[in-house]
Amino acid sequence: MTENERHLMQRAYEEVKKNHDIVQHDPYRLDYHLMPPVGLLNDPNGLIQYKGVYHVFYQWNPFNTSHGAKFWGHYTSADLAHWREEPIALAPSEWYEKNGCYSGCAVESEGKLYLFYTGNVKQEDGTRDTYQCLAVSSDGIHFEKHGPILNLPEGYTAHFRDPKVWKENNRWYMILGAQTKDEKGTVVLFTSIDLFHWKEAGRIAGAGMNGLGDFGYMWECPDLLQLNGKDILMVSPQGLESNGHLYNNLFQSGYFVGEFDYEKNKYQPGPFVELDCGFDFYAPQTFKDETGRTILYGWMGMTDENEQYQPTISRNWVHALTIPRELEYKNGKIYQRPVMELVKLRKDKGIVHHVKIHGQPAQFDGVEGKTVELVLEALNVNEGNFQISFRNEASLIYDSSKKEISLQRKNFRTCLQETRTCSIASLSMLHIFMDQSSLEIFINDGEEVFTARYFPNPKDETITFQGNASFSLTKWGLGKL
Ligand code: FRU
């Protein structure tokens, strides 16, 4: 470890210590989501199960609640439900990463853990350099930096980052999010046989390619995963215009379903599908665990004009990751479901009600709280709107005539109501995870998901149901990580 690296890590640990009380006593601190100990968290990075242990790294600015020279923070878990904070994995100490160890991934090769990430460098004249870097570990905790393994190729601006690496037929593949010189978002492929030397293999998808028209000026955080025989390309494009219910956040995250031709290194994508209908979801990453499940984490946040109005900023921290979600490809789309290990967070056996409601707002015995899991099954909405209000601060509203479901919350900056909506053919099931200041709502067993932060009165624990409907309701109280 270099002197500078030691020094930066030391400063970060001091910042954590200095802010411990103010951060930990924030009523909006989440109980079972991964958060930064202080400062700002953004993308999930380096997701992997290595030697049996789950690792989640994350983009972290320990010194401020704004974006800056990112570190890689690190959590590990034996069961995806209980997490341990590990020493800092990467600090931006070297010339090739001095303005941030930006997003990347992890792979295992011959017993070692390899982290690929982007070294971000800002020059004094405001221009940017980008280097794809490697760090290697034998224990999953301490990393030795190998520096840049890939320079910026011809044809792209310095917005070239977020390596994701995988192995297929004894060859390594890396995709990067990029911007072409004429400012089109794209994904660029490289191949390698030893993880150190990489050969460019061209663009595999992007705005203006394969029948796709204008599709944003930059694509971030690409990921290529196989589900049910399909090659799914996930990306976070920037610069899409909102269009009806689509693309209403500043930036989007979604996927193309297609076929990747490993002989020709060509990809043929279908249409783009958004992954989440809520307000706070970006830069997701997936990994395959030892049981063969494909698991996704997203950043439960967004770098938009409201970011600096998040109430936790007065407590010197901001943002969190989503809960882990298992992915399944069926009926032509990705379904997301909370991983089954989250049942370990349940503090009780669950309270069950079989109910019929008629117009008036209804509350049910024991169905209240701040950190709660709710399942509504055999849900039958007779007519009109069916609505659940969460702690008098956010509502989920199903309109049975329009066949639309919406989430409403108060805007952090304007305090006005804001809404996100998606269309569904019918509504039969809801699976809801409430934490102190977050909501994750899985519709029809993961067909659609709403992810959002919200900041209710910390004393309010009310959950209200309204409409003409019948359903079985189960509620569990959830515990801390
Ligand atoms: C996405 C992103 C990545 C980048 C990282 C920097 O949120 O902009 O493209 O690597 O965040 O923190």
Side-chain angles (χ1 to χ4, degrees), residues 162-180:
D162 311 335
K164 182 80 197 308
V165 175
W166 74 97
K167 196 178 193 178
E168 184 76 35
N169 301 328
N170 283 325
R171 187 173 284 272
W172 293 99
Y173 293 81
M174 177 194 287
I175 44 174
L176 286 136
Q179 178 179 62
T180 60

Side-chain angles (χ1 to χ4, degrees), residues 20 99 132 138 149 154 226 249 252 295 323 345 391 404 411 420 431 460 467:
H20 178 269
N99 299 100
Q132 310 318 315
S138 306
I149 42 100
E154 278 297 304
Q226 242 188 31
N249 297 331
Q252 275 61 51
I295 297 170
I323 52 172
L345 298 174
R391 304 173 61 199
E404 284 180 351
N411 182 285
R420 295 288 180 273
H431 193 174
D460 195 326

Side-chain angles (χ1 to χ4, degrees), residues 42-43 59 67 70 102-103 161-162 220-221 282-283 299:
N42 55 304
D43 314 353
Q59 287 288 284
H67 294 266
K70 300 285 167 60
Y102 273 12
S103 284
R161 54 179 172 262
D162 311 335
E220 296 189 313
C221 301
Y282 194 61
W299 170 28

